[in-house]
């Protein structure tokens, strides 16, 4: 399978590659690409108009390679598709997810300032960096849930607080309305303009609810 790049951004292009590292680097030359293609988690080209051929080359090299992560297990998965994102003015990266706490029998929203990393690794190495917000489904997502979330993430700007609380409220609604077992946004980024954008995510659903 070949990837053909047909769109470009004046600033840069973001491309994900299958690797264990979650570092972010700027790639300037073909030599650096060759050295880092198996090391970095993201490749950002500063001048997309000149670097489209590099993105296409790297994307094609990824197809057919084996991706090994915590989710895939040691056997890994063969990469069949590559998702290329429009460049974003990233100022901060967060993790935001919604899962079911089976012990407490209610949804829990989890967030962390360690966006871009596997949440399992954060939980193991830095559990204090994970904010957990239990949401009783009989009352739903309320303002106090949102405040606990933004304060726990250290977001102090009032406008940004409102935007993230609104984002989290919509995430909870999607989770409940679609009988989801898990929704994970990683990373959720804050741009230079103070907007929150989901750059990557995945969802899992209750098999018993698929008929609906």
């Amino acid at each position: 399978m070949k990837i053909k790049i047909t769109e470009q951004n004046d600033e840069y292009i973001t491309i994900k590659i299958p690797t264990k590292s979650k570092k972010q680097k700027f790639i300037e030359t073909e030599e650096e690409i060759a050295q880092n293609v198996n090391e970095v988690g993201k490749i950002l080209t500063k001048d997309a108009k000149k670097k489209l051929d590099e993105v296409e080359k790297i994307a094609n090299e990824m197809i057919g390679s084996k991706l090994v992560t915590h989710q895939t297990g040691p056997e890994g998965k063969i990469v069949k598709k590559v998702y290329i994102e429009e460049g974003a003015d990233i100022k901060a990266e967060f993790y935001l997810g919604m899962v079911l706490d089976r012990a407490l029998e209610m949804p829990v929203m989890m967030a962390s300032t360690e966006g871009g990393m596997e949440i399992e690794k954060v939980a193991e190495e830095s559990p204090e960096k994970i904010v957990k917000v239990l949401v009783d489904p009989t009352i739903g997502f309320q303002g106090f849930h949102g405040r606990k979330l933004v304060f726990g993430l250290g977001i102090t700007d009032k406008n940004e607080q409102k935007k993230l609380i609104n984002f989290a409220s919509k995430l909870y609604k999607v989770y409940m309305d679609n009988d989801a077992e898990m929704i994970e946004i990683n990373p959720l980024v804050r741009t230079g303009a103070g907007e929150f954008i989901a750059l990557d995510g995945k969802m899992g659903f209750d098999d018993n609810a698929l008929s609906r």
Side-chain angles (χ1 to χ4, degrees):
M1 180 185 294
K2 293 290 184 180
I3 300 295
K4 183 67 177 177
I5 309 301
T6 58
E7 296 182 0
Q8 62 188 35
N9 182 285
D10 289 340
E11 296 180 355
Y12 49 77
I13 282 180
T14 303
I15 181 171
K16 296 180 180 179
I17 67 175
T19 154
K20 294 180 180 179
S21 174
K22 295 297 178 182
K23 296 179 181 179
Q24 181 170 296
K25 299 181 180 179
F26 287 96
I27 305 303
E28 299 288 352
T29 67
E30 292 184 6
E31 289 76 15
E32 286 179 317
I33 290 174
Q35 293 171 2
N36 290 286
V37 68
N38 292 319
E39 297 177 5
V40 301
K42 292 182 179 178
I43 288 181
L44 306 183
T45 56
K46 287 183 175 179
D47 188 347
K49 290 182 178 179
K50 296 180 181 178
K51 303 294 184 178
L52 286 177
D53 55 337
E54 296 174 5
V55 175
E56 183 176 354
K57 175 178 178 289
I58 295 169
N60 285 321
E61 289 176 351
M62 292 169 58
I63 301 298
S65 64
K66 182 181 288 187
L67 172 65
V68 180
T69 68
H70 180 86
Q71 287 84 5
T72 67
E75 67 278 8
K77 296 286 186 181
I78 299 299
V79 176
K80 297 181 179 180
K81 295 181 180 180
V82 177
Y83 180 65
I84 299 174
E85 299 173 347
E86 179 183 357
D89 180 22
I90 301 173
K91 296 303 180 184
E93 295 188 21
F94 302 92
Y95 170 94
L96 184 64
M98 197 90 202
V99 296
L100 176 64
D101 188 316
R102 297 187 183 279
L104 297 175
E105 298 183 342
M106 67 176 64
V108 57
M109 184 171 290
M110 297 195 304
S112 175
T113 55
E114 301 301 295
M117 295 182 61
E118 293 178 354
I119 194 64
E120 294 85 1
K121 185 175 182 180
V122 178
E124 179 181 350
E125 299 179 356
S126 308
E128 73 281 359
K129 294 183 179 180
I130 297 179
V131 180
K132 294 184 178 181
V133 181
L134 290 168
V135 183
D136 186 340
T138 62
I139 64 171
F141 190 88
Q142 301 293 321
F144 68 89
H145 293 122
R147 289 190 291 275
K148 181 177 180 180
L149 180 70
V150 296
F151 293 153
L153 292 175
I155 297 175
T156 57
D157 183 273
K158 296 296 185 182
N159 191 40
E160 290 180 359
Q161 287 179 347
K162 291 179 181 179
K163 289 179 179 179
L164 184 54
I165 290 174
N166 182 52
F167 190 104
S169 177
K170 291 178 178 178
L171 174 66
Y172 174 79
K173 186 176 188 302
V174 170
Y175 177 87
M176 296 299 292
D177 289 353
N178 292 278
D179 296 302
E181 287 188 335
M182 175 274 295
I183 299 179
E184 183 180 76
I185 299 174
N186 191 21
L188 170 69
V189 303
R190 183 181 65 212
T191 68
E195 302 293 334
F196 290 90
I197 303 174
L199 286 193
D200 193 11
K202 61 183 179 181
M203 300 177 67
F205 301 93
D206 183 353
D207 292 345
N208 296 318
L210 292 179
S211 61
R212 295 199 291 272

